[in-house]
Amino acid sequence: MRTVFDPTDPGTNAYDLLTSIVVPRPIAWITSTGADGVGNLAPHSFFNVVCQKPAMISFTSVGRKDTLRNVLATEYFVVNLVPEELAESANASSAPFEPGVDEAAHVGMRLEPSEVVPVPRVADSPTSIECRLHSSLKLGNSHLVIGEVKAITVRSDALEDGRPTMDALRPASRLGRDEWGRAPEVFRMERPRRA
Ligand SMILES: Cc1cc2nc3c(=O)[nH]c(=O)nc-3n(C[C@H](O)[C@H](O)[C@H](O)COP(=O)(O)O)c2cc1C
């Protein structure tokens, strides 16, 4: 037997259901800069890779937030990975600060210049993805933002055969409710070949 939820039913909280089902979600800890030069840092777990070539990623802003406003105004943003040990700082940076407040300074995260975009990265994040706005799409009360990847930086000691390892990144993830995930247990499987 299953309980059936109709998303159009006023008694259904589809958002709570979906964010508990679509798990674990990777976390984009996004640095951006406003047109006024004020920096911003905020986590977004509605985040994924959306195009192979050219490389593109997306995040979704639920409502109009400072990150969205900054990216639409300046066209640049950086996605920083949240390793487990920075999860508390990432959570702290999600507090509803006033637009003039730079969350990075507030939560004690060190920033450093990025390689090719005019937005700094989180110095203690092991990997960052530098993006230029490709497009955005308004969806109901949310905005899907697509960024073209301009540079990817990885701490050299996190690389093995040219790719980062799970052991080195140990990414935190977002689950439902107020739950977070630690780095997942890894198992390997070969992709099936054409029969
Ligand atoms: C782990 C985590 C993931 C989040 N994911 C999102 C998200 O995908 N989209 C969103 O709009 N808000 C998300 N939030 C909430 C924002 O981080 C929060 O609203 C923040 O204040 C936005 O900051 P800003 O106004 O500086 O952009 C998330 C919060 C946490 C802690």
Side-chain angles (χ1 to χ4, degrees), residues 120-183:
R121 64 183 175 231
V122 173
D124 292 320
S125 171
T127 178
S128 300
I129 308 170
E130 303 180 21
C131 298
R132 178 166 197 178
L133 177 67
H134 173 274
S135 51
S136 70
L137 180 63
K138 189 173 183 317
L139 300 166
N141 71 348
S142 301
H143 277 81
L144 175 71
V145 176
I146 297 173
E148 188 169 337
V149 176
K150 295 297 179 188
I152 300 168
T153 63
V154 185
R155 224 176 43 214
S156 303
D157 65 357
L159 290 170
E160 199 177 286
D161 302 330
R163 299 168 75 160
T165 63
M166 186 62 74
D167 268 357
L169 300 186
R170 299 207 59 74
S173 59
R174 190 74 172 95
L175 310 175
R177 303 179 177 81
D178 58 357
E179 300 160 346
W180 292 58
R182 297 192 186 285

Side-chain angles (χ1 to χ4, degrees), residues 27 40-47 60-63 65-68 90-91 93-97 103 174 180:
I27 302 171
N40 197 88
L41 176 65
H44 287 69
S45 69
F46 290 4
F47 160 59
T60 291
S61 179
V62 178
K65 296 177 176 172
D66 294 341
T67 301
L68 174 72
N91 192 37
S93 72
S94 75
F97 294 98
E103 291 87 352
R174 190 74 172 95
W180 292 58

Side-chain angles (χ1 to χ4, degrees), residues 66-90:
D66 294 341
T67 301
L68 174 72
R69 242 189 308 274
N70 291 349
V71 173
L72 295 182
T74 67
E75 300 203 337
Y76 291 103
F77 62 99
V78 177
V79 168
N80 305 275
L81 181 123
V82 180
E84 275 182 28
E85 69 269 17
L86 295 186
E88 279 188 23
S89 302

